[in-house]
Every structure is written in structure tokens, then in C-alpha cells.
Amino acid sequence: MVSFDDLLAAVEHAHGKPIKISLVPSDTLPGLSGLWLETDMKSHILVPESHPKLLRMHVICHEFGHILLRHQGCEGLVSPMPSVFKHLGGQRGIKRMLARSPRWNELEKAAEEVAYLLSSFVMQGAPTPASNFEKVFG
């Protein structure tokens, strides 16, 4: 089993800089389930706080996928999301932005595959369900 903290440390090591994960109000990321922003000094992953815990972990692992696969950022996200930058202290110094988007392309598919793989490492240590009910709904 791999703890989430161990996974974060491994991704930070591969990335070569710290990664700050922030839960933000849902209206901060309109139409998105997650966002990765990179500066020279660190990366930020923003996830709506309204997401259930399991979905938040998956979104974070998806953004880890973009980081590990060294995907380039996307254009045009800054103007529709000014509220993002109040959580970061401004937009200066951002060199890369990538959002977990409902539009599927090759980058999104690749990041999603990595997310499932990383999630499985963390989830393998989940306790074994004690009852048949827990096996179905746990």
C-alpha cells in the first residue's frame, strides 16, 4: 500500500518542485473538476471542496498524471476564471495551466489512465469490507 502522502512526495520528487493542493469553493472552477497551475517555484492543484472525498482524490491523481506525463498547458483559461487567482495570490509567474476537462482528447485520456493507476496504489490498502452490504456499497 502507498499512502497519499507518499504518492504526493513521489510526484513532487519527479516534478522537481513542491505541489500545493487546495480545496476551493465550487464557483472558483466553473465547469471544471480540477486545475493544475505551475509556477517556477511550485505547482498548485485546485479541486472543488464540494466534490466527495473519493472524487477529489481521483481529480488530484488526474492532475498528477498531467504532471508526470509532462503535458503542456492549455490556453484561454485565465479570462473566464479570475476567481482562481485570488486563491493563488495573483496570476503572475504562471508558466503552465491544465484543467481536468469534460472534453476528452489524448492528453485527458492519458492523464485519466495515470489517475486510475495511481488511485489503485493508494486504494489497495483500503480495509476489507466486513459484510456483504459493505462489499456492494463500500
Side-chain angles (χ1 to χ4, degrees):
M1 177 177 112
V2 174
S3 74
F4 183 80
D5 290 339
D6 291 339
L7 176 61
L8 174 60
V11 175
E12 286 177 325
H13 179 75
H15 188 38
K17 61 180 78 170
I19 299 170
K20 181 180 180 196
I21 298 169
S22 300
L23 300 181
V24 297
S26 296
D27 61 354
T28 302
L29 303 175
L32 300 174
S33 58
L35 181 68
W36 163 41
L37 299 126
E38 183 182 7
T39 68
D40 286 329
M41 301 304 289
K42 74 167 101 170
S43 277
H44 301 266
I45 294 176
L46 306 180
V47 183
E49 62 191 358
S50 62
H51 284 358
K53 184 177 179 180
L54 184 60
L55 178 56
R56 287 193 308 251
M57 186 183 82
H58 182 78
V59 169
I60 293 165
C61 287
H62 178 96
E63 300 307 331
F64 286 171
H66 285 305
I67 291 168
L68 293 171
L69 295 169
R70 302 186 191 288
H71 287 162
Q72 297 303 305
C74 44
E75 299 294 323
L77 287 175
V78 175
S79 58
M81 294 189 299
S83 62
V84 165
F85 301 105
K86 73 179 178 188
H87 297 281
L88 302 176
Q91 59 181 302
R92 290 182 22 206
I94 292 177
K95 58 189 251 186
R96 187 181 336 231
M97 274 178 66
L98 243 168
R100 186 173 190 272
S101 167
R103 284 181 266 138
W104 289 103
N105 57 36
E106 294 308 311
L107 292 180
E108 290 301 308
K109 289 176 188 173
E112 198 67 5
E113 288 176 20
V114 171
Y116 282 113
L117 180 63
L118 295 176
S119 296
S120 72
F121 292 139
V122 175
M123 298 292 291
Q124 283 178 355
T128 304
S131 69
N132 286 336
F133 178 82
E134 289 178 16
K135 288 177 185 173
V136 173
F137 297 103

